[in-house]
Amino acid sequence: MQNLEVNSQRLWDTIMETAKFGATPRGGLCRLTLTDADREVRDWFVRACELAGLMVKVDEMGNIFARRAGKDNSLPPIAMGSHLDTQPSGGRFDGVLGVLAGLEVVRTLNDVGYTTTAPLEVINWTNEEGSRFTPPMLASGVFAGVFQRDFAYSIEDGEGRKFGAELERIGYRGQTKCGDHKLGAYFELHIEQGPVLEAEGKTIGVVTGVQGQRWYEVTVVGREGHAGTTPMPVRRDAMLACARMVDKVNKIALDHAPLAVSTVGLVRVSPNSRNVIAGSVFFTVDLRHPDDAVVNEMAEELERMVPQVADEVKVEAKLENNWNSPAMRFDEACMGVIRAAAEELGYRHRDIVSGAGHDAVYIARVAPTGMIFIPCQNGISHNEAESAQPQDVAAGANVLLRAVLAYDRGLG
Ligand code: HGY
Ligand code: MN
Ligand code: MN
């Protein structure tokens, strides 16, 4: 087993094959969670796992667990996974790489007839992205006991459709209780989604942890009015208030440079008509920093700023903190086998903190967890142009394979 490597062409072809589910004309993916495109890729994944001899279970959150028996099936499985849902204008690698690399590890072990001591599991977590249904990492969060199932079922998307009903509609509301079994360890391979590895010429990122995140929803209410007849001094313009707030959200990150980031990515205007003064505006705020104390400072600045701007523009504003994800650190033993695998394979590597959130953040609360990064081109992600080099995809999958085998051997 010493020199075992994955079938990198098969893995690459698998990634390209599944990219047809939710494909966009510009070469990306729109595969929002619990849509028909999500169902199609799930059906493909279940079939591929069954063909690889895996036993497939779907839990009540739609998480898919594909298990390969080990020599000692009384042991909890060593798991590999990520997510198959994407952003509305997402790429072909975010999440997909981790799920399909796990399948490739199993296929490789099948090719050589090798059986691990512990069973293995390949996992697809539902709704990592949190784009259609917020918060993100929802189903790994229920698995880890962070969210309750019924809370998740009640969440509505922008059209008022509930998570639970949509899960039922696509046929992936399984019978198995979410969180019904322990994981012996969990490894997630993912593209970095940032520029560091590529800029430094590194092939592998040994992910030491994930930065802190805090999400807010802001609703600004002014007064609708006629764009042509309403004098400027009497306006209560919700769009003006939003615009000033967005600029100040950006400044909050700049004031905590170089590591802080802040984003307003979703804005809904009402009535959204070009010759009507906006009566109300709903928008979201995403604050992140590796140090939770700084996230707290950024949040306090936001909570002070919103009412100040509302007063200036004579509008009402409501600010709600709807999700917090504290900074966290991964398991030393998992990082150790990942680092050793990269060394053994001769890949240039570095430790790195993840700027993006991942299902591994919550799974780390219930199992020893590690993440492996590979570069993505120009650090671009959450963008249809997202891309990775075949040789880096192969390298990441080989490190995943070797790390899992080393962890398994460590079980004695
Ligand atoms: O938002 C995130 O960090 C992740 O990519 N869903
Ligand atoms: Mn992801
Ligand atoms: Mn993502």
Side-chain angles (χ1 to χ4, degrees), residues 83 87 94 128-130 136-137 190 193 213 215 286 288 323 355-358 381-382:
H83 60 94
Q87 288 288 334
D94 176 0
E128 186 280 338
E129 292 291 359
M137 299 129 67
H190 207 286
Q193 299 182 289
Q213 298 191 52
W215 283 14
D286 177 325
R288 306 194 198 193
W323 182 58
H358 301 285
S381 182
H382 284 190

Side-chain angles (χ1 to χ4, degrees), residues 65-81:
F65 302 88
R67 179 172 291 210
R68 184 178 194 262
K71 291 178 191 136
D72 179 355
N73 292 300
S74 69
L75 293 171
I78 299 172
M80 301 164 280

Side-chain angles (χ1 to χ4, degrees), residues 57-115:
K57 268 196 327 186
V58 179
D59 75 11
E60 58 191 347
M61 283 297 294
N63 296 316
I64 301 172
F65 302 88
R67 179 172 291 210
R68 184 178 194 262
K71 291 178 191 136
D72 179 355
N73 292 300
S74 69
L75 293 171
I78 299 172
M80 301 164 280
S82 192
H83 60 94
L84 292 170
D85 66 310
T86 75
Q87 288 288 334
S89 53
R92 292 173 293 175
F93 297 89
D94 176 0
V96 175
L97 172 65
V99 177
L100 300 185
L103 174 61
E104 176 52 35
V105 165
V106 162
R107 286 170 163 174
T108 299
L109 296 178
N110 287 349
D111 290 347
V112 296
Y114 181 81
T115 303

Side-chain angles (χ1 to χ4, degrees), residues 147-204:
F147 305 115
Q148 296 306 310
R149 183 203 67 183
D150 291 345
F151 158 71
Y153 280 11
S154 69
I155 298 168
E156 294 186 1
D157 67 8
E159 277 73 51
R161 285 172 297 197
K162 287 189 185 333
F163 179 96
E166 284 294 281
L167 190 62
E168 189 84 49
R169 183 184 70 80
I170 68 164
Y172 276 89
R173 181 172 165 175
Q175 297 309 310
T176 306
K177 179 160 177 36
C178 184
D180 75 326
H181 66 292
K182 271 180 60 61
L183 301 178
Y186 174 72
F187 292 90
E188 182 165 350
L189 171 62
H190 207 286
I191 51 171
E192 177 201 336
Q193 299 182 289
V196 172
L197 294 178
E198 185 183 58
E200 293 185 5
K202 300 283 182 356
T203 304
I204 296 293

Side-chain angles (χ1 to χ4, degrees), residues 79-81 185-190 205-208 328-338 360 363-364 367-373 400 407:
M80 301 164 280
Y186 174 72
F187 292 90
E188 182 165 350
L189 171 62
H190 207 286
V206 181
V207 190
T208 55
M328 53 76 68
R329 186 164 174 82
F330 286 126
D331 176 81
E332 296 300 333
C334 291
M335 284 192 262
V337 292
I338 291 167
I363 301 310
T369 296
M371 283 195 79
I372 307 157
F373 274 175
L400 178 66
Y407 198 92

